Amino acid sequence: MTNPEEKPLAWLGSSKKDLMALPMGVRKFFGHALNFAQRGERQDAAKVLKGFGGAGVLEIVANDQGGTYRVVYTVKFREAVCVLHVFHKKSKSGIATPKPDMDIIRARLKIAEKLSQEMRDE
């Protein structure tokens, strides 16, 4: 039974398919962290993603033998926790999120804004 205070997850673009392609341990870790977000809490591993002002865009990083994986989501909207992007970070140039991934996150954040507005209007 779901808690009435618990927000649904809204998966944008290929984010759910991308999550399902990750190693099982990483998927479980991300799922657990997203569940915290749905309950209005923040899991210790969730950090504010730089470059979005105070837009409530968070990132969780997980490492396993296959590499570094990230899930980016927003808690900005009352209607849902929007999962914006799930990806395997392949860049070797430091910890910064690669520009193509930032572009995807920005585009999906705009879609999430429209989606949440539609949910409010219903």
Side-chain angles (χ1 to χ4, degrees), residues 10-49:
W11 300 90
L12 282 98
S14 61
S15 59
K16 187 164 191 175
K17 179 177 74 77
D18 297 338
L19 178 78
M20 298 313 288
L22 300 182
M24 178 64 75
V26 174
R27 282 199 328 247
K28 285 183 176 180
F29 179 71
F30 285 162
H32 181 70
L34 288 169
N35 186 255
F36 269 77
Q38 287 180 275
R39 296 191 317 255
E41 301 169 21
R42 190 196 296 186
Q43 205 255 2
D44 291 343
K47 306 287 184 240
V48 173
L49 184 61

Side-chain angles (χ1 to χ4, degrees), residues 89-102:
K89 185 176 180 295
K90 297 179 179 92
S91 168
K92 302 294 178 225
S93 58
I95 60 170
T97 304
K99 185 183 182 316
D101 292 302
M102 290 297 281

